[in-house]
Amino acid sequence: MTNKNKAKNSKIKNSIIKNSRSNSKDTIRRILQHIRPYRFQLVLSLVFAVISVALTLYAPILIGNVVDLIAGPGQVRFAGIMPILIQILAVVLLTSAAQWLMNLCNNKLTYYVAKDIRTRAFHQLEILPLKYLDSHPYGDTISRVITDVDQLSDGLLMGFNQLFTGVITILGTLGFMLSINITITLAVVLITPVSLFVASFIAKRTYRMFKAQSETRGEITSLVEEMVGNQKVVQAFGYEDRARETFDGINERLRECSTKATFFSSITNPATRFVNGLVYAGVGIIGAFTAMRGLISVGQLSCFLSYANQYTKPFNEISSVVTELQNAFASARRVFDLIDETPQEPDAPGALTLRQVDGGVELRDVSFSYNPEVKLIENLNLSVKPGQRIAIVGPTGCGKTTMINLLMRFYDVDRGEILISGHPARQITRDSLRRSFGMVLQETWLKTGTVHDNIAYGRPQASREEVIRAARSAHAHSFIKRMPEGYDTVITEDGGNLSQGQKQLLCIARVMLCLPPMLILDEATSSIDTRTEIKIQQAFAQMMEGRTSFIVAHRLSTIREADVILVMKDGRILETGTHEELIARKGFYAQLYESQFAN
């Protein structure tokens, strides 16, 4: 490798380390900001930690006094021992109570902080632009909101429970040891930096490993969610072996990350214990010579040995806490990265809330593309009169669904503007604009809950009679009544206990209950049998009466009654007209129609 390449690699490495340190400091700062509202619990926890440590450190003094009372043969003073034993019992009981109260404060503090961060992350998901969700694996996003927040709460809980008491124990023990003998205390303090150096050396290397572990865990969660949610497709196409290979590859990487992270974190405790052993041995040797010279009593030496043990023990706990906190900070960084994602553009100041919607829609020189390098829709113009039925047809990828996304403001146009009832879409609140449309999509979605709750999703206050009326209009009432609990039957996640056609009928009933002034039907009957489709088309005809409707369809037989048919190709409108007009032109639409009905 040339010197130039070495210098370049060294520069990149130093940049990565610098960014890692900066991210770690920023993460700690963000966590402290979330802790601030619960500073009362934090202060209480510190108070109980001080009480617990003070009582714990007072106990060796009492024990040393007992040792001095039985130091020589025939010199046991039982009258003085009993009061001290009662004091020791009282100290133990008070210490246990203080530790219990401290843990109670820490639990409340930790889980409230975790709840706030998880709530913030979930709220962020609701305001993120759709392009973020489209471009990130669902499993990884779920892992950030659930698993990573759990990792953070576990780390914080361990930190609060052991870090506070550990630091206070170290300081308190030093104070008590100094009050007994300065020389021995100095020997303890001189050996201590070795333990700190070992813990710091290991902690610096664990953060990056735990971060890689969290990212790989999110990757494997995404794969499992994808495979489980689409198991029928996996089995139908014989993808099991390739899915297993992909899973094994990610799982192996997770094993490597976890092994390295666990290895470095696991050597922290033995390394610090070795240093602690040196401290204890040093105290024992120096203390023995000091006692032999008569500078301290045997009881004070036993007290000193107890303090040496208590002084070194927190270093083991703190080193374990530091390792756990590195894992927590790595997980927190992923959650904060999600929270810091740029949200969708907020509603314009003073944005209009649509109340009276006449159904007029106009697109003026609209241009849009998901990827700036790949053109999709350019200079699209369209004028839709109130109450018209607009059918949109064309080959796959021509921009039909994209046009629906723009109407609903799931995406905003790059150039040009869309007007709804004469008002620019960007000057209308998203909520009121979307409530003006009723959507029935090809991809069905149902939530876990009863049939009634799913139909009343857009109108939770709807009565049972209104829900039944909507279900009858959608021709869903008959199969609902055959279900075990009728409208109170609980549907599993995404309607797993229903057929695709039944789920589609419930989605149609949901829109029929709301009856907004404009409708969007994107392949709404693609999963329904022909006989039911005829009935649904009749219901749609009744529902669309007097309402502006956009119908996306591949089956051209379903749009023959449309007022205007837009024929799209490559993001442009090639032809417009009624079915008869377009057939007579013998253009692109006529070719599409003839290709479907060639037989």
Side-chain angles (χ1 to χ4, degrees):
M1 185 182 290
T2 64
N3 291 334
K4 186 176 180 180
N5 288 335
K6 288 181 179 178
K8 184 178 180 182
N9 291 338
S10 177
K11 186 176 180 181
I12 293 172
K13 184 178 179 181
N14 291 335
S15 176
I16 292 172
I17 294 173
K18 186 177 180 181
N19 289 336
S20 176
R21 290 174 181 170
S22 176
N23 287 340
S24 182
K25 291 179 181 178
D26 180 65
T27 302
I28 295 172
R29 180 183 60 80
R30 297 279 293 274
I31 293 173
L32 291 176
Q33 286 178 350
H34 282 87
I35 292 174
R36 188 176 301 158
Y38 307 103
R39 52 186 174 272
F40 177 71
Q41 283 84 0
L42 184 63
V43 171
L44 272 183
S45 177
L46 284 170
V47 170
F48 290 127
V50 170
I51 294 172
S52 172
V53 170
L55 292 173
T56 302
L57 297 179
Y58 181 58
I61 294 177
L62 296 176
I63 294 172
N65 292 339
V66 173
V67 172
D68 284 337
L69 291 175
I70 58 175
Q75 299 179 11
V76 179
R77 287 173 280 177
F78 290 102
I81 292 175
M82 188 54 65
I84 297 177
L85 292 178
I86 293 173
Q87 290 181 52
I88 292 174
L89 178 62
V91 166
V92 170
L93 292 175
L94 289 173
T95 302
S96 300
Q99 288 177 344
W100 179 76
L101 291 170
M102 181 191 71
N103 291 335
L104 190 66
C105 292
N106 289 340
N107 287 345
K108 186 173 182 181
L109 171 62
T110 299
Y111 292 119
Y112 267 104
V113 170
K115 178 185 78 74
D116 291 346
I117 293 176
R118 186 180 285 114
T119 301
R120 181 71 184 85
F122 185 80
H123 288 175
Q124 178 71 4
L125 286 177
E126 294 186 316
I127 61 173
L128 282 176
L130 201 62
K131 66 179 180 181
Y132 174 87
L133 300 176
D134 287 344
S135 59
H136 289 75
Y138 294 160
D140 181 68
T141 304
I142 293 169
S143 180
R144 291 175 190 246
V145 178
I146 298 175
T147 307
D148 286 327
V149 176
D150 285 340
Q151 292 285 339
L152 170 60
S153 64
D154 291 343
L156 288 180
L157 187 60
M158 185 182 235
F160 289 137
N161 283 342
Q162 296 183 10
L163 193 61
F164 288 169
T165 54
V167 172
I168 295 170
T169 298
I170 291 170
L171 297 175
T173 307
L174 282 174
F176 275 95
M177 287 193 296
L178 284 170
S179 67
I180 298 173
N181 188 280
I182 297 176
T183 305
I184 304 176
T185 305
L186 288 175
V188 173
V189 172
L190 289 175
I191 305 175
T192 300
V194 180
S195 181
L196 294 173
F197 172 77
V198 171
S200 174
F201 176 81
I202 297 171
K204 287 178 181 178
R205 282 152 181 78
T206 53
Y207 175 78
R208 292 193 299 274
M209 296 176 186
F210 277 117
K211 187 173 186 294
Q213 183 187 30
S214 295
E215 291 173 349
T216 311
R217 190 188 297 120
E219 196 175 338
I220 203 168
T221 302
S222 178
L223 177 66
V224 172
E225 190 267 343
E226 182 181 300
M227 292 299 105
V228 172
N230 300 278
Q231 193 57 220
K232 292 178 182 177
V233 179
V234 172
Q235 294 182 9
F237 286 90
Y239 192 80
E240 295 94 334
D241 292 339
R242 283 177 289 171
R244 201 176 298 115
E245 290 175 5
T246 305
F247 178 85
D248 290 343
I250 300 174
N251 202 24
E252 176 63 21
R253 284 195 285 113
L254 180 59
R255 183 197 65 78
E256 291 178 2
C257 294
S258 302
T259 301
K260 290 178 180 178
T262 305
F263 171 75
F264 271 90
S265 64
S266 64
I267 64 175
T268 307
N269 202 293
T272 52
R273 280 186 182 277
F274 173 76
V275 178
N276 296 343
L278 294 178
V279 173
Y280 192 80
V283 170
I285 294 170
I286 297 172
F289 282 109
T290 306
M292 289 169 62
R293 291 166 57 191
L295 298 177
I296 59 174
S297 67
V298 176
Q300 288 177 318
L301 175 58
S302 69
C303 181
F304 229 114
L305 288 171
S306 177
Y307 281 146
N309 221 9
Q310 291 190 33
Y311 174 76
T312 55
K313 184 181 177 183
F315 286 100
N316 295 332
E317 294 176 346
I318 289 173
S319 61
S320 299
V321 167
V322 168
T323 300
E324 190 66 29
L325 285 176
Q326 294 294 331
N327 189 9
F329 292 157
S331 297
R333 182 70 261 163
R334 282 168 43 81
V335 181
F336 290 142
D337 284 343
L338 172 65
I339 292 174
D340 292 339
E341 283 291 335
T342 305
Q344 67 183 2
E345 183 184 341
D347 290 333
L352 173 69
T353 299
L354 278 180
R355 302 189 186 281
Q356 300 296 326
V357 183
D358 62 12
V361 177
E362 188 174 355
L363 281 71
R364 294 178 180 173
D365 297 321
V366 168
S367 295
F368 173 80
S369 61
Y370 297 103
N371 184 345
E373 298 178 0
V374 181
K375 302 296 183 182
L376 182 56
I377 293 178
E378 289 189 297
N379 302 319
L380 180 62
N381 290 278
L382 175 66
S383 180
V384 179
K385 297 177 182 178
Q388 278 192 319
R389 301 181 190 181
I390 308 298
I392 308 172
V393 301
T396 301
C398 68
K400 301 187 298 295
T401 301
T402 299
M403 188 169 166
I404 301 304
N405 287 337
L406 297 178
L407 288 175
M408 294 290 290
R409 281 198 74 189
F410 293 143
Y411 289 84
D412 281 322
V413 300
D414 297 332
R415 292 191 305 276
E417 65 177 352
I418 298 176
L419 287 82
I420 308 294
S421 295
H423 304 287
R426 287 182 182 271
Q427 301 300 319
I428 302 172
T429 61
R430 282 188 177 87
D431 184 62
S432 65
L433 184 145
R434 290 168 183 170
R435 287 184 180 277
S436 301
F437 286 94
M439 290 185 68
V440 181
L441 304 177
Q442 182 177 6
E443 296 179 2
T444 58
W445 179 83
L446 299 172
K447 72 184 188 76
T448 301
T450 64
V451 173
H452 175 99
D453 292 340
N454 273 278
I455 296 177
Y457 189 77
R459 278 185 59 199
Q461 73 282 5
S463 66
R464 177 58 61 90
E465 290 73 20
E466 290 175 312
V467 169
I468 292 175
R469 195 179 307 121
R472 288 183 184 277
S473 300
H475 299 276
H477 179 72
S478 58
F479 86 80
I480 293 174
K481 294 301 291 181
R482 292 195 299 269
M483 299 178 78
E485 303 295 330
Y487 285 85
D488 294 319
T489 302
V490 176
I491 299 174
T492 59
E493 183 183 358
D494 201 24
N497 52 347
L498 298 175
S499 70
Q500 188 65 30
Q502 289 173 330
K503 289 191 285 186
Q504 190 71 280
L505 291 176
L506 291 182
C507 291
I508 294 170
R510 179 191 296 164
V511 174
M512 288 187 166
L513 178 65
C514 296
L515 279 182
M518 294 182 286
L519 299 172
I520 294 175
L521 310 176
D522 189 353
E523 289 292 326
T525 59
S526 60
S527 303
I528 298 173
D529 63 89
T530 305
R531 183 178 178 184
T532 306
E533 182 183 10
I534 294 172
K535 296 180 179 179
I536 290 296
Q537 292 293 349
Q538 294 172 353
F540 277 159
Q542 181 180 354
M543 185 172 65
M544 289 187 292
E545 192 67 38
R547 291 181 172 83
T548 303
S549 305
F550 295 88
I551 309 161
V552 176
H554 287 293
R555 287 187 286 183
L556 303 186
S557 60
T558 61
I559 58 167
R560 297 178 67 167
E561 303 302 322
D563 297 317
V564 179
I565 298 175
L566 306 180
V567 185
M568 295 189 68
K569 186 179 181 183
D570 300 327
R572 296 181 296 111
I573 298 177
L574 290 183
E575 301 172 329
T576 61
T578 64
H579 172 74
E580 290 75 13
E581 291 172 348
L582 293 174
I583 289 293
R585 289 182 196 170
K586 298 188 181 297
F588 187 66
Y589 177 82
Q591 295 175 18
L592 289 176
Y593 190 81
E594 289 170 4
S595 66
Q596 289 191 14
F597 300 98
N599 292 330

